[in-house]
Amino acid sequence: MDAPGAGAGRPFEYLIETLNDSSRKKFFNVPRLGGTKYGALPYSIRVLLEAAVRNCDGFLMKKEDVMNILDWKTKQSSVEVPFFPARVLLQDFTGIPAMVDFAAMREAVKILGGDPRRVHPARPTDLTVDHSLQIDFSKCAIQNAPNPGGGDLQKAGKLSPLRVQPKKLPCRGQTTCRGSCDSGEPGRNSGKLSSQIENTPILCPFHLQPVPEPETVLKNQEVEFGRNRERLQFFKWSSRVFKNVAVIPPGTGMAHQVNLEYLSRMVFEEDDLLFPDSVVGTDSHITMVNGLGILGWGVGGIETEAVMLGLPVSLTLPEVVGCELSGSSNPFVTSIDVVLGITKHLRQVGVAGKFVEFFGSGVSQLSIVDRTTIANMCPEYGAILSFFPVDNVTLKHLEHTGFDKAKLKSVETYLKAVKLFRHDQDNSGEPAYSQVIRIHLNSIVPSVSGPKRPQDRVAVMDMKRDFQACLNEKVGFKGFQIAAEKQKDYVSIRYEGSEYTLSHGSVVLAAVTSCTNNCNPSVMLAAGLLAKKAVDAGLHVKPYIRTSLSPGSGMVTHYLSSSGVLPYLSKLGFEIVGYGCSTCVGNTAPLPEAVLNAVKQGDLVTCGVLSGNKNFEGRLCDCVRANYLASPPLVVAYAIAGTVNIDFQTEPLGIDPTGRSIYLQDIWPSREEVHQMEEERVVLSMFKALKEKMEMGNKRWNSLEAPDSVLFPWDLKSTYIRCPSFFDKLTKEPVALRPIENAHVLLYLGDSVTTDHISPAGSIARSSAAAKYLTNRGLTPREFNSYGARRGNDAVMTRGTFANIKLFNKFLGKPAPKTIHFPSGQTLDVFEAAELYQKDGVPLIILAGKKYGSGNSRDWAAKGPYLLGVKAVLAESYEKIHKDHLIGIGIVPLQFLPGENAESLGLSGRETFSLTFPEELSPGLTLSIKTSTGKVFSVIAAFENDVEVTLYRHGGLLNFVARKFS
């Protein structure tokens, strides 16, 4: 299927002009279309309008859609519009189902007599393998046993032909040197580290022995490759055979940070036609790229596949909230403080489901890394995206990071030509926003966020008082309800030969993790400088605290190393454990047994402090009840203090060897220090080094064997990757719509059934149908892994459909992942009942109440029911995205007439249902259903446009595109 572009017959071709520079490139001069209307549009809406004009074909994108976007001021929140993003970004967990579908489509096209080599994504697609990292090893002394993490690790044989030979570790040393470098005297660690600061390689800070890569990184990568070998081989095959697909291998970095540093184009060029870069993907933090002036946000798996297949995503034309920033922040405020301050303000104002666009004099005070950090947090305050239009700060950043100078000039000329470049100007020149809110940056104070939710901001100066209040409050979003007489309790522990005490507020986990912050050199360098000053002052971190440093990419390691601060972070326990999501998503190693026993014994509210963006209770570790989000330097500070129950203004972090009290202000780096180091270290060479690393891959990835055949050689024994059965009954031409006759109700559900009820992503229960399937293939419960990890196996995911233990089926009258098979009267797992129905050729429907399919967008919440044999869902109302998913997979969404539901119509769900489709199916058509009891009632076929009708006639999106290739 051809990628959308400015082909012949497009109604707006008259807007194509030649760029007024030496490149002679062409572009759609969209401002000519709108006149004064265009100038009043927010910049983000202008990007939507350009894509609509360029892709207008009269079917997928109609002229009416273009005019609706142009009339945004009057049409916002009231109309649906299509959007063709320029590219797609996937991460491995949610990306594997999409790539498996493409592999299966090749099989289907061949069966239909077509050429499978024609099957490729229509848009450039980048897949980053960044969600597989687990912290099996941490700190210098690698003492932890690896987490098997499920999977088929035990069956993988040798982990890697490139297994690193055991080597001695860089010293961390609390009282004696734990490393045993071959030169120098063991235990000699009292000297200053200033001489080592001049060395740019990663060094043992005590013996100056070069360490090519931290041992923990190599060991974690080794386990990661072994645990995920099967998936990695599939990804490598995908990158070889599919055009437009690039795989970023493990150990490179996170999806959204790699997107910023390497993948972003700023302006696309296809066949000499220029247009703005834009992206959608299967990660909620795709939004980070909006800080660079690139429109992007996270969507579900089926929407992403649609874009890969050349179709648009659909969205309600959004309201755009203008956020005016003024002033500048004080020296002690980091970017994270700004982020959390803006997050709280935007959440209070209410921007859910809206675009946010920043303007005002304060915007120019923010660096690109500050902007991207703010944009990255928009899922936490509910916005679809937070957009910073390209300006002079953006251009300087691109120039500084090695962006091609000739291309940069072309980018600037083009963006100014289509009025997508923001100039510093007074408010009279700003767009007409739906709403304007104002934030003064100088009103923001240093803060953390917690103890259970990212929106609960706490000023650092109020931390001790607030934590005490949390102990007193009833159990809830902030409270722990600890009896007053027990709030002073403490438990003594013995760890590594020394005695320590744990109490309420004790820090047991401190992680500078890869989400949000590591894209920002200023906060990372501030953490390193603070660590240096702390070590120089003789401070240390208690050894039982689980500390880790998980950067977003190798560039972070590079500048921390070249600036000389990495050895100091390592000495405090913040040693690099790997690259990717780790502590932030709960992939942390267990806490020491002594700590776990003490927490349990004293019923202690212990704390985790991390520089991520999610801190829900139990997310990091089920025994850590209070979790705080903080900037990287504050993570280090709280780790040194060993408690959050401290007033940094009046209480010292610790005592130096001479007995002098050391306060936070004594070691906090000044803004001038941080900026000087940032300018000196975060330079062109670092970005070049990252690009070279990404283009070369790593040794394990390069040596990984993978097929290069046109069709993927499916392993029938695999429990991770299987050819799905979506195309089993595919014909070359769509067949006439068949009636649904004598369908049984598989489930009778109530209101607000979520996608997690339909297709859970968590652990696989031992008694579930999926567990039985895996057990029959020789796996133990320890190897089951999660539904999320097995999204590439339709047999597991189908068995996991409606397997949520909290699913309330009205047939049973209690929560359980079961239903009644009416022909036999048996109560069975949902999958087992559906399997019996399918053997007898009985179609199935689902009865539901209001808001069916609410919650996160999840492709398997539609794919799973389809493979169970569900032909229709009949509900009072739907979450729109899920309704679109049902159509996209080939399930008809039926809706009760207003004011009617199953109960009011006297339906028990035990009847059978029959439905006939007319020859001319159209959006919003009323259909008639007849039950086995003789009842007849009307329902609405919830198709909203001709595209949805066409997709349903073809049996769904995948069949529609497969026929295009055959």
Side-chain angles (χ1 to χ4, degrees), residues 1 9-11 55-65 82 84 310-312 945-952 954 960 964:
M1 190 170 183
R10 308 278 176 162
N55 292 286
C56 186
D57 62 358
F59 178 58
L60 295 176
M61 179 73 72
K62 297 181 178 180
K63 189 172 182 180
E64 178 186 0
D65 298 319
F84 282 96
L311 275 69
N945 51 56
D946 293 335
V947 173
E948 292 185 349
V949 171
T950 300
L951 293 180
Y952 181 70
H954 278 266
F960 173 75
K964 294 285 186 182

Side-chain angles (χ1 to χ4, degrees), residues 368-430:
I368 291 298
V369 287
D370 292 337
R371 299 177 189 190
T372 54
T373 307
I374 293 169
N376 189 40
M377 288 293 282
C378 78
E380 272 60 54
Y381 46 82
I384 298 174
L385 56 86
S386 290
F387 192 71
F388 288 84
V390 175
D391 61 7
N392 286 321
V393 174
T394 316
L395 296 181
K396 288 179 182 178
H397 168 83
L398 294 171
E399 182 179 3
H400 182 70
T401 55
F403 203 87
D404 181 82
K405 290 185 178 179
K407 185 176 181 181
L408 184 59
K409 184 63 179 175
S410 179
V411 165
E412 180 181 1
T413 303
Y414 167 71
L415 293 177
K416 287 180 177 178
V418 294
K419 298 184 179 180
L420 286 173
F421 189 91
R422 177 185 170 274
H423 298 273
D424 290 330
Q425 55 191 8
D426 59 29
N427 290 343
S428 62
E430 299 294 350

Side-chain angles (χ1 to χ4, degrees), residues 633-647:
L634 281 176
V635 171
V636 177
Y638 278 112
I640 295 170
T643 181
V644 301
N645 196 15
I646 182 174
D647 183 347

Side-chain angles (χ1 to χ4, degrees), residues 49 58 108 168 202 223 287 305 346 374 431 489 573 575 606 879 890 937 942 956 958:
L49 180 61
K168 295 168 184 177
I202 302 176
V223 176
T287 53
E305 277 192 62
L346 291 175
I374 293 169
D489 287 359
E575 181 171 301
T606 53
E879 179 77 21
F937 60 97
L958 295 174

